[in-house]
Amino acid sequence: MKRQFKDGLIGNNPVLVQLLGMCSTMAITTTLFNGIGMGVSVLVILTCSNIVIALLRKLIPAKIRIACYIVVIAGFVTMVDLLLQAFLPALSASLGVFIPLIVVNCIILARAESFASKNSVLASAVDGVAQGIGYTAVLVVMCVIRELLGNGTFGGGLIGPGGAGIRIIPADYSALLVILPFGGFITLGCLIALMQWALKKSAAKAGGSKGAEK
Amino acid sequence: MNRESEKARDKSAPRLVLILFGVTVVVAALLGLVNHITKDAIAEGKAAKTSAAMREVLPADDYTEIDIEGKAGDIVTGLYEAETDGAPAGWVVLAAPTGFGGTISMVVGIDASGAVTGVSITAMSETSGLGANALKEDFRAQYRGKSGSVALSKYGGGIDALTGATITSEAVTQGVNAALKAVAAISKGG
């Protein structure tokens, strides 16, 4: 179980290593509020869909499994969407179309196909939480970097007067392009490079135990 | 091609349909339940937001909806006559121009003399950090007191566009213009 968490966060991080869910990562990581909201939404949906798919894994025939997964995932996404609209309208307004788009977030389908459909309910639930935390962690890092460099603030939407965040860099010196999609690609690229470098380094350190991976 | 596998498929097809149907029915039932729980809260939230925005742009005691069928163009989605102590105080117009990231839902208050009293944005999906800055008071306050028609500074009007968000600024301006036009049409006609 500890290994699953480590994998979700580092070794097999959904965004930085599996390179899944890039679209939402790029699109919503402009304020900390968005990042945490999106991360937690995906975590909840991923865990729920993993549990249900693990429960149904012996019942669902292989031929129609993808269709069944999509129905289950879409169901959970719509539920979360409705619940957010009802009880957290500010977050719902801010994430906009990206909540419904979680349906096609490949992290969820990938985990359903590669993990939940082959493992027990408990292991799948843990996998959902671990991968969800990994996704959220990347979003938070992206948000902090992009918000700080692009807007000059920290914690936008969460703290500060009117949710404006705490200003760290004066408004005149912030690099607007970091907030734009272009900046999202650059930031994500740097993070992936950093992650690969760190993974390679730790693999080199581990030396001969390379075969032990997986 | 392969006779046997074709036969096997024929046999399993109804089962596949039934299972997928079953999954869909269960999910649909759960969705219905969640919808039932959240429906009222969502509608309430939206109504509260709109009425709060109406009160913000033009404070009045009472708002009566006016039928604007075919009179106001595509952008205006609703028009209310505001009254305070039985005397007309002006109009509140709901407008929905198209911005950079889809429709912008906004509320425009216009007083009896035809001048804008305030602009409020109730829902939009503009880029956060750029177009979403249209929510800021500094930007919206520029429209206050304007009448006739408004335009961005680069077209010789008095509205400074948001940095990096010309499309959003233009959309909001368009919404205000549509609201002014609709009120002009209503007050002339009635």
Side-chain angles (χ1 to χ4, degrees):
Chain A
M1 201 187 266
K2 212 172 157 192
R3 172 175 202 94
Q4 272 182 304
F5 276 105
K6 212 181 146 202
D7 265 0
L9 205 57
I10 303 165
N12 199 17
N13 185 290
V15 183
L16 296 183
V17 180
Q18 297 175 61
L19 303 184
L20 297 171
M22 314 245 96
C23 166
S24 55
T25 307
M26 217 77 81
I28 57 96
T29 51
T30 47
T31 61
L32 193 58
F33 181 58
N34 279 0
I36 293 175
M38 186 69 176
V40 172
S41 305
V42 167
L43 192 152
V44 169
I45 293 166
L46 183 58
T47 309
C48 293
S49 75
N50 263 4
I51 290 173
V52 170
I53 285 161
L55 271 174
L56 296 176
R57 71 184 187 281
K58 294 208 174 101
L59 192 80
I60 296 176
K63 276 180 190 162
I64 53 161
R65 65 184 194 285
I66 301 289
C68 290
Y69 298 164
I70 289 290
V71 171
V72 170
I73 295 167
F76 280 119
V77 170
T78 314
M79 282 176 213
V80 167
D81 186 21
L82 289 174
L83 289 171
L84 282 182
Q85 277 182 41
F87 303 115
L88 276 175
L91 182 61
S92 168
S94 163
L95 291 176
V97 75
F98 291 102
I99 288 287
L101 279 181
I102 296 177
V103 175
V104 288
N105 188 320
C106 33
I107 293 174
I108 297 174
L109 191 58
R111 293 324 287 176
E113 171 76 7
S114 72
F115 196 93
S117 61
K118 294 174 194 138
N119 288 285
S120 72
V121 175
L122 183 69
S124 302
V126 173
D127 181 72
V129 175
Q131 295 284 328
I133 291 175
Y135 178 69
T136 312
V138 175
L139 289 194
V140 167
V141 171
M142 291 270 296
C143 287
V144 169
I145 294 174
R146 290 180 73 188
E147 201 191 329
L148 182 65
L149 296 181
N151 231 352
T153 56
F154 172 78
L158 275 182
I159 37 184
I166 301 167
R167 183 153 293 282
I168 295 170
I169 301 174
D172 296 343
Y173 294 98
S174 53
L176 196 56
L177 66 87
V178 184
I179 287 287
L180 295 169
F182 168 73
F185 279 104
I186 299 273
T187 314
L188 188 55
C190 293
L191 281 182
I192 292 172
L194 200 69
M195 190 68 169
Q196 296 300 336
W197 176 76
L199 283 178
K200 243 183 209 155
K201 210 174 158 195
S202 77
K205 225 184 225 170
S209 65
K210 221 162 127 196
E213 227 166 271
K214 268 201 174 174
Chain B
M1 275 178 269
N2 190 330
R3 268 267 149 110
E4 231 147 78
S5 77
E6 218 166 83
K7 242 184 202 169
R9 198 183 303 154
D10 281 348
K11 241 186 226 167
S12 69
R15 200 177 135 251
L16 295 185
V17 172
L18 271 181
I19 290 176
L20 188 52
F21 182 73
V23 170
T24 317
V25 167
V26 173
V27 171
L30 285 175
L31 273 183
L33 186 74
V34 174
N35 183 42
H36 183 74
I37 298 168
T38 55
K39 195 173 54 186
D40 294 337
I42 293 173
E44 237 168 66
K46 271 191 187 147
K49 211 170 174 190
T50 308
S51 75
M54 283 162 70
R55 241 176 293 277
E56 185 201 325
V57 296
L58 183 67
D61 297 341
D62 198 30
Y63 301 93
T64 335
E65 185 158 18
I66 297 175
D67 186 29
I68 44 153
E69 192 67 37
K71 279 188 238 171
D74 300 336
I75 291 175
V76 173
T77 53
L79 205 159
Y80 293 82
E81 188 162 24
E83 279 186 352
T84 302
D85 297 331
W91 294 269
V92 174
V93 186
L94 308 187
T98 307
F100 186 72
T103 306
I104 301 174
S105 299
M106 50 189 276
V107 180
V108 184
I110 294 169
D111 68 13
S113 70
V116 175
T117 57
V119 175
S120 174
I121 292 164
T122 50
M124 68 167 171
S125 37
E126 302 301 292
T127 322
S128 80
L130 295 172
N133 286 339
L135 292 172
K136 288 192 176 157
E137 171 65 21
D138 298 354
F139 175 72
R140 292 182 290 123
Q142 297 184 86
Y143 294 95
R144 206 165 291 148
K146 299 274 193 302
S147 57
S149 79
V150 288
L152 295 181
S153 291
K154 69 170 178 175
Y155 299 123
I159 309 291
D160 291 331
L162 292 161
T163 312
T166 318
I167 295 178
T168 310
S169 314
E170 251 166 39
V172 174
T173 306
Q174 212 182 9
V176 172
N177 273 333
L180 285 165
K181 230 178 180 173
V183 165
I186 292 289
S187 56
K188 224 182 271 168

